[in-house]
């Protein structure tokens, strides 16, 4: 009986060298936090991945430009929710830069050491005045203890704030990694799938950008909610190197945090009632396992079946069958929870009651397939497709 | 104010050389027709396309084998609904062949001149006895006037029977093309998307198989409901050549029928309340236009927006942006109905009321995008994604 959602965090510890804040600056109608700040004590090595969508939010070219000009050194990331600053033309670019400049002046650093990130509905001009007017107040709130304020400030349709932390090494010198993310529609791999902010005081490796890419491949790129990528998706990794522990930035604790956040994204997919882990086994290569897992994870028929608590092995097999990966149905095995419902080319209808029970009783469910052609494997995370997803997305702007 | 659904047909004319029938043989619980027959007067040239899914219904290898052994000459196609005869192992193959043999004996032709096609839920053995016991009665009902009985017999979750007919040439010698199809979930291009049966008395060209493929590329392959392909998807083209009109099988009237059927499939997608035509213009190539159209047509966010009557140009642009086709957002134009809602990189919020009205008032709606990089174009058909789609597919087996 596993739960879909993690224990709700009330506080989270940031790694050495980082502090955070979040407040309401007037963008969200309900008065919730909508402006967040991640602050580094000194210019800090930073890697970033951005959406591959042709349509991009204004913050993306600005971030790219600032990272090049600052040689990848960042003092602050300012994030607003409830406005994506996307499809806002040249004015949007100027607005993003202007927010960076205002913050840079206040903390005493070059403009290019500040990044600006926006998320929310697209097409409306960024209300820069509301943001700039709250910068002093935001800076006054900055503290290593205020990570959860930042986590709340970046939320859009998320139902809970997403943060995760892990340590590595002995207690006194332990290196810490802490991450934040937000979803919860338009979630699909192919960089990027969301906003994600990963911080660590472990030592950055020689090529932080490659480390981040490998990290994302094992975590955020294995999560999908609806196959739609957003114009604003961005993932950042900041490494202060202040821990004396010798682990590098992207070792175990960071991967654990990133995978935890990726699962949280899927679990909190719009309208979701079930976190689904697609276990693909017996593939020729990890790439083929991932491909099959993604096709199953994006199949509306598989996802509605889980919403209906129906252990529909046929839809799983059928989705796998259109993934462009060669395998023989007769050698494949399909399981739901721990119950094998299809093997040797035929189903086991007598076992479906047990499989249904798994779907009914567990909020975190497993759909598995063994392709029977090799020994490579991959897990992919997604959620069920419910009538609530349709409702949320039919009514989002109205 | 255009309607999503065509006028319901009560009769349909078959081309010279064809007759049809349909009856209830005991598969559908509600007593509706579930066994159909398409009969040709003589062995008739036939081409076929089948699903590219790795998982295939038992009828597909049997059809392939029969078409090879009969040299593409077919006397009859027997179709049952409410059972896909899929994931039924070796027994499924034997069952399909046995139905063909029983029918062949009754009409006096070699077994391989009979094809068998199944559609419905997968995994249960084909109730061959119910089918065979009704063959005599089915043959007694065969008539050129009973096409709509056949159209009803092949339905699964379709809400209406889908048929279309067109003629070519002067009235006395006109060549006729008549087609039938059924959906309505698991509808996606990439051959095949459904069951489709196209008949014509026009002259078959030298390469009927290539003609059918070209025809499908312009029609059925441009329709998508949910991106899920079925293990049983099959499309047949039978050409009797009995008309004295000199047009070939796949010219204008056949294409008109095929496109009409493809639109009907989209219009009757599970849970659909709107037929959506995605107009892609200004692409470099037709292939790129089709690719962009398909990505827009399968985007859950675009489809839920239409369900919510929201002229969400951002989701259209964003879906186009992840199609892997190069274009500049700043040069793109987006329209909803006849209202341009995005151009020169920025939206026109003041025009959205008119666009909403189009979505509210018309059952057949248009979403358009001009990529601004060429002059190629394509139309793709799909439907909105409603809470009813989720309901239907969550509850289908239970």
């Amino acid at each position: 009986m596993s739960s879909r959602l993690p224990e709700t965090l009330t506080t989270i510890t940031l790694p050495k060298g980082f502090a955070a804040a979040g407040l309401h600056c007037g963008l969200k109608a309900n008065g919730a936090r909508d402006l967040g700040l991640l602050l580094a004590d000194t210019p800090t090595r930073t890697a970033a991945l951005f959406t591959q969508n042709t349509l991009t939010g204004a913050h993306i070219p600005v971030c790219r430009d600032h990272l090049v000009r600052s040689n990848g050194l960042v003092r602050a990331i300012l994030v607003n929710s409830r406005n994506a600053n996307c499809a806002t033309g040249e004015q949007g670019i100027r607005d993003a830069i202007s927010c960076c400049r205002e913050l840079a002046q206040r903390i005493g650093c070059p403009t290019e050491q500040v990044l600006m990130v926006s998320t929310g509905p697209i097409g409306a001009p960024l209300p820069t005045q509301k943001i700039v007017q709250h910068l002093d107040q935001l800076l006054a709130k900055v503290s290593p203890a205020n990570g959860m304020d930042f986590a709340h400030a970046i939320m859009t349709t998320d139902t809970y704030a997403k943060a995760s932390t892990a340590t590595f090494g002995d207690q006194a010198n332990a290196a810490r990694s802490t991450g934040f993310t937000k979803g919860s529609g338009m979630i699909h791999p192919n960089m990027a799938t969301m906003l994600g902010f990963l911080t660590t005081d472990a030592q950055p490796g020689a090529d932080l950008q490659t480390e981040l890419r490998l990290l994302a491949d094992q975590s955020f790129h294995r999560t999908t909610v609806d196959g739609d990528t957003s114009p604003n998706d961005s993932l950042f990794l900041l490494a202060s190197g202040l821990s004396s522990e010798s682990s590098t930035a992207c070792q175990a604790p960071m991967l654990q945090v990133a995978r935890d956040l990726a699962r949280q994204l899927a679990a909190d997919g719009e309208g979701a009632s079930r976190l689904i882990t697609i276990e693909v086994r017996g593939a020729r290569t990890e790439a083929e396992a991932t491909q099959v897992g993604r096709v199953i994870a994006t199949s509306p028929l598989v996802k509605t079946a889980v919403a209906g608590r129906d252990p529909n092995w046929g839809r799983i097999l059928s989705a796998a069958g259109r993934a462009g990966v060669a395998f023989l149905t007769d050698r494949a095995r399909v399981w739901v929870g721990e119950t094998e419902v299809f093997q040797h080319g035929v189903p086991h209808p007598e076992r479906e009651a047990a499989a249904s029970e798994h779907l009914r009783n567990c909020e975190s469910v497993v759909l598995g397939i063994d392709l029977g052609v090799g020994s490579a494997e991959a897990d992919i995370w997604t959620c069920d497709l419910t009538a609530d997803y349709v409702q949320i997305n039919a009514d989002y702007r109205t």
Side-chain angles (χ1 to χ4, degrees), chain A residues 173-363:
Chain A
N173 302 315
R176 178 176 291 278
S177 295
T178 300
F180 305 93
T181 193
K182 56 85 46 180
S184 69
M186 273 199 179
I187 299 290
H188 193 61
N190 210 12
M191 201 64 242
T193 57
M194 30 83 252
L195 300 186
F197 304 90
L198 306 172
T199 61
T200 183
D201 47 27
Q203 300 299 321
D207 182 356
L208 199 64
Q209 187 66 28
T210 299
E211 288 191 53
L212 176 58
R213 192 172 295 278
L214 293 174
L215 188 70
D217 282 344
Q218 302 283 325
S219 56
F220 293 104
H221 286 176
R222 298 198 172 182
T223 281
T224 176
V225 167
D226 51 17
D228 269 312
T229 57
S230 143
N232 284 40
D233 299 337
S234 308
L235 176 65
F236 301 88
L237 169 63
L238 294 85
S240 71
L242 290 177
S243 159
S244 54
E245 172 62 45
S246 66
S247 78
T248 62
C250 287
Q251 279 178 340
M254 191 81 265
L255 182 58
Q256 181 187 323
V257 166
R259 290 171 72 97
D260 183 26
L261 292 172
R263 271 191 302 264
Q264 290 188 38
L265 278 178
D268 196 27
E270 285 173 344
S273 75
R274 292 291 179 270
L275 167 63
I276 306 173
T277 301
I278 312 283
E279 298 178 347
V280 183
R281 302 292 180 260
R284 256 186 305 252
T285 65
E286 190 176 338
E288 289 195 352
T290 305
Q291 168 63 10
V292 168
R294 283 183 183 172
V295 173
I296 296 171
T298 47
S299 161
L301 289 172
V302 170
K303 292 152 70 80
T304 49
V306 174
R309 314 301 180 229
D310 173 8
N312 199 315
W313 52 267
R315 293 183 187 175
I316 297 168
L317 208 52
S318 181
R322 66 177 166 84
V325 167
F327 71 97
L328 290 175
T329 306
D330 286 355
R331 293 204 201 142
R333 294 183 301 114
V334 175
W335 56 94
V336 174
E338 297 187 341
T339 307
E340 205 153 280
V341 285
F342 180 92
Q343 62 189 157
H344 305 314
V346 288
H348 293 283
E350 75 284 3
R351 298 183 187 165
E352 289 189 14
S356 291
E357 201 169 344
H358 171 71
L359 298 178
R360 268 198 312 276
N361 295 340
C362 298
E363 289 195 7

Side-chain angles (χ1 to χ4, degrees), chain A residues 35 37 39 75-76 78 97-111 114 128-140 142:
Chain A
L35 188 65
L37 177 62
L39 193 67
R75 274 298 307 284
L78 182 66
I97 295 172
S98 139
C99 290
C100 292
R101 189 189 310 115
E102 292 283 346
L103 181 57
Q105 284 168 358
R106 283 165 175 82
I107 58 178
C109 74
T111 299
V114 175
T128 48
Q129 216 178 350
K130 287 182 182 168
I131 292 170
V132 170
Q133 278 171 350
H134 286 82
L135 289 180
D136 291 328
Q137 196 182 334
L138 190 65
L139 283 166
V142 162

Side-chain angles (χ1 to χ4, degrees), chain A residues 25-89:
Chain A
C25 78
L27 305 178
K28 285 180 182 165
N30 63 358
R33 283 156 284 194
D34 48 24
L35 188 65
L37 177 62
L38 198 58
L39 193 67
D41 296 348
T42 57
T44 294
R45 282 189 54 194
T46 301
L49 291 173
F50 299 105
T51 187
Q52 295 186 344
N53 202 303
T54 298
L55 177 68
T56 55
H59 81 252
I60 289 178
V62 174
C63 280
R64 285 188 195 281
D65 179 57
H66 284 196
L67 283 167
V68 167
R69 292 202 285 126
S70 72
N71 201 19
L73 294 177
V74 167
R75 274 298 307 284
I77 305 181
L78 182 66
V79 191
N80 76 276
S81 52
R82 193 53 199 150
N83 184 307
N85 192 15
C86 178
T88 45

